[in-house]
């Protein structure tokens, strides 16, 4: 396993592979930015709560179930309000951006390699992220693992990697997977014989 601390540094390790498959969250952009974007969307739906987005973020940093905690504190913890807040969060069009230089990196690699993307999460949220980032056309195949049959297909399940290998038509030995979560990202690709690059993202949700 190769470890990098800047996502742009992956490029120097890709000369001898034919296909590069990326994770999405905290690999190509900051997942914290998505969380903050979602909290702003929730706050817009509850104008009666002062500084709600900030309160949600503070609760998140305290590792609380942020929406439930803030609604409870504000005396708004009805099932209707919880469902409303969750829908606002999950369905919003995120205000997020790629890490600096990533768009250019992907464009360069797309001219030389076969690119893929494998990401976990609710399909509507992950597809909204991809749309907001404007990167769909840079990948030959994008797999949101839940779309394969639900959360059971999230990493470390091998199915997404098997499908990606079939689509890209490259041997596993000539593929590399780049991700940020050591607990789940690399189990399947290493088992299948892929090369892996660990982006040790100090600003990520899974830093450390």
């Amino acid at each position: 396993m190769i470890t990098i601390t800047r996502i742009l540094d992956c490029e120097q390790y890709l000369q001898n592979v034919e296909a590069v498959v990326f994770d999405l969250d905290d690999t190509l952009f900051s997942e914290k930015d998505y969380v903050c974007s979602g909290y702003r969307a929730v706050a817009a739906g509850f104008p009666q709560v002062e500084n709600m987005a900030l309160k949600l973020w503070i609760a998140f940093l305290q590792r609380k179930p942020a929406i439930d905690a803030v609604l409870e504190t504000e005396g708004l913890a009805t099932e209707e309000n919880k469902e409303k807040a969750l829908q606002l969060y999950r369905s919003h069009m995120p205000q997020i951006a790629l890490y600096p230089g990533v768009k250019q990196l992907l464009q360069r690699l797309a001219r030389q390699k076969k690119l893929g993307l494998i990401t976990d999460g609710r399909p509507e949220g992950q597809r909204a992220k991809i749309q907001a980032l404007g990167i769909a056309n840079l990948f030959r195949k994008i797999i949101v693992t839940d779309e394969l049959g639900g959360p059971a297909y999230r990493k470390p399940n091998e199915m997404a990697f098997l499908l990606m290998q079939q689509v890209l038509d490259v041997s596993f030995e000539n593929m590399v997977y780049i991700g940020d979560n050591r607990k789940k990202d690399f189990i399947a690709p290493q088992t299948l014989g892929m090369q892996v690059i660990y982006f040790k993202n100090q600003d990520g949700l899974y830093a450390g």
Side-chain angles (χ1 to χ4, degrees):
M1 178 184 294
I2 296 169
T3 300
I4 57 175
T5 55
R6 294 175 62 253
I7 187 58
L8 301 185
D9 290 343
C10 73
E11 194 168 11
Q12 64 187 293
Y13 301 104
L14 303 177
Q15 294 91 339
N16 297 321
V17 296
E18 298 176 40
V20 184
V21 184
F22 287 91
D23 175 45
L24 179 63
D25 303 333
D26 276 338
T27 298
L28 300 182
F29 81 102
S30 171
E31 179 70 0
K32 290 179 181 178
D33 287 351
Y34 175 79
V35 173
C36 288
S37 175
Y39 288 162
R40 290 193 295 271
V42 173
F46 292 86
Q48 69 272 39
V49 180
E50 187 175 357
N51 296 322
M52 188 175 189
L54 177 59
K55 292 174 180 176
L56 288 165
W57 179 244
I58 291 171
F60 174 81
L61 293 178
Q62 294 171 341
R63 300 185 181 278
K64 297 177 181 178
I67 289 174
D68 287 356
V70 172
L71 290 176
E72 184 71 35
T73 300
E74 299 295 327
L76 296 170
T78 66
E79 289 303 315
E80 181 181 358
N81 281 336
K82 289 180 182 179
E83 183 61 26
K84 174 185 174 180
L86 282 173
Q87 286 303 312
L88 287 168
Y89 184 91
R90 291 172 178 169
S91 65
H92 86 287
M93 179 51 65
Q95 297 176 328
I96 53 177
L98 295 166
Y99 285 127
V102 166
K103 186 67 170 286
Q104 293 78 13
L105 169 70
L106 294 175
Q107 289 171 334
R108 285 196 302 274
L109 291 176
R111 292 192 291 268
Q112 309 163 19
K113 315 284 184 181
K114 297 179 179 181
L115 299 190
L117 183 72
I118 296 176
T119 179
D120 291 339
R122 291 177 174 271
E124 63 272 26
Q126 298 309 100
R127 292 293 176 181
K129 293 172 186 176
I130 292 164
Q131 181 180 346
L133 294 170
I135 56 175
N137 64 323
L138 295 173
F139 297 97
R140 299 200 183 192
K141 179 67 174 176
I142 293 174
I143 298 176
V144 178
T145 54
D146 277 28
E147 293 176 348
L148 302 177
Y153 287 87
R154 294 180 184 180
K155 295 168 282 183
N157 191 299
E158 295 181 0
M159 181 58 70
F161 295 91
L162 293 167
L163 291 173
M164 185 64 72
Q165 188 270 335
Q166 291 177 9
V167 172
L168 299 184
D169 192 26
V170 174
S171 69
F172 285 117
E173 292 76 16
N174 286 310
M175 297 172 64
V176 61
Y177 189 66
I178 303 173
D180 71 292
N181 188 338
R182 292 191 69 171
K183 293 181 179 179
K184 66 172 186 174
D185 280 346
F186 308 116
I187 296 171
Q190 286 185 306
T191 299
L192 294 169
M194 291 176 62
Q195 302 177 48
V196 296
I197 296 177
Y198 167 44
F199 174 27
K200 190 174 183 180
N201 187 348
Q202 296 297 340
D203 189 50
L205 294 183
Y206 301 101

